[in-house]
Amino acid sequence: EPEVTQTPSHQVTQMGQEVILRCVPISNHLYFYWYRQILGQKVEFLVSFYNNEISEKSEIFDDQFSVERPDGSNFTLKIRSTKLEDSAMYFCASSETENTEAFFGQGTRLTVV
Amino acid sequence: DAKTTQPTSMDCAEGRAANLPCNHSTISGNEYVYWYRQIHSQGPQYIIHGLKNNETNEMASLIITEDRKSSTLILPHATLRDTAVYYCIVIHYNTNAGKSTFGDGTTLTVKP
């Protein structure tokens, strides 16, 4: 069964460093998303991406964040200068169309020290 | 999107049916009811969705009341692996279904 894959599963980084979280969406999906979940809190929408551009973003997704689809398979989330409060699970998701359900990856646990 | 209300937690005996309720009294005619679940720290997993008719798939059944103001997710034979947080989400058909607003959900604990 096709699945969304994310790498790495766990990343530790120092405050102020840049990190790139990687995702390979399901191959025939056209819509891509990033979510985050701070430990013990809700799953929060960050951004959606379609046709090589951001279609929607939340208030959380500020100038420190960026997304990119560098090739035909990968979808990345970059955090430019990490802060302690960026520590969270980051989930990538994809959907076939705008109106179909999203499939989530297993997440990357980001720890900022 | 309409707001949903779910009980904070529920228990269910292994092998029995788990019935998870959701209230969405402000739902509009163009809004779907989606259910996802999250098993401890894993990514949310899609379960099922519906508009007004009852739906069934290999994972669960979704019963939507005639007035569409509430729904029930049914796991027919709960197993220990069904222990998870279950989210009921209402999404307008014209809204990006992947841009979901996850609330607090219902923590279902399946007990031996």
Side-chain angles (χ1 to χ4, degrees), chain B residues 11-108:
Chain B
D11 291 343
C12 177
E14 187 178 19
R16 304 296 294 269
N19 298 290
L20 292 98
C22 179
N23 285 323
H24 30 79
S25 57
T26 60
I27 194 169
S28 72
N30 296 326
E31 291 180 315
Y32 285 80
V33 180
Y34 277 74
W35 283 83
Y36 284 82
R37 73 180 182 183
Q38 187 177 26
I39 297 172
H40 182 63
S41 293
Q42 296 181 22
Q45 178 188 25
Y46 166 79
I47 302 173
I48 199 167
H49 74 280
L51 183 62
K52 55 183 178 181
N53 297 321
N54 297 338
E55 302 287 344
T56 295
N57 63 19
E58 65 277 6
M59 288 183 69
S61 294
L62 174 60
I63 309 298
I64 302 174
T65 58
E66 194 167 338
D67 63 9
R68 301 187 69 245
K69 294 186 177 184
S70 65
S71 61
T72 301
L73 178 75
I74 301 173
L75 308 178
H77 304 288
T79 70
L80 299 179
R81 286 179 294 182
D82 291 321
T83 293
V85 180
Y86 287 77
Y87 300 101
C88 169
I89 300 169
V90 172
I91 300 174
H92 191 277
Y93 86 100
N94 209 24
T95 297
N96 191 322
K99 178 185 169 293
S100 298
T101 301
F102 289 85
D104 294 316
T106 296
T107 299
L108 175 69

Side-chain angles (χ1 to χ4, degrees), chain A residues 31 33 35 37 42-43 45 48 55-56 89 91 95 98-106 109, chain B residues 34 36 38 41-46 49 87 92-100 102-104:
Chain A
Y31 292 79
Y33 317 91
Y35 286 78
Q37 186 175 31
K42 299 177 185 180
V43 177
F45 168 77
S48 60
S55 50
E56 286 190 71
M89 284 289 287
F91 296 109
S95 63
E98 187 174 29
N99 304 116
T100 52
E101 63 274 14
F103 292 85
F104 286 75
Q106 290 304 297
R109 180 175 299 282
Chain B
Y34 277 74
Y36 284 82
Q38 187 177 26
S41 293
Q42 296 181 22
Q45 178 188 25
Y46 166 79
H49 74 280
Y87 300 101
H92 191 277
Y93 86 100
N94 209 24
T95 297
N96 191 322
K99 178 185 169 293
S100 298
F102 289 85
D104 294 316

Side-chain angles (χ1 to χ4, degrees), chain A residues 7-21 82-84 86-88 108-113:
Chain A
T7 55
S9 56
H10 190 187
Q11 172 124 20
V12 181
T13 188
Q14 291 208 328
M15 192 169 53
Q17 295 296 303
E18 174 184 285
V19 293
I20 297 176
L21 309 182
T82 51
K83 303 185 284 287
L84 294 176
D86 293 326
S87 295
T108 293
R109 180 175 299 282
L110 176 66
T111 303
V112 182
V113 297

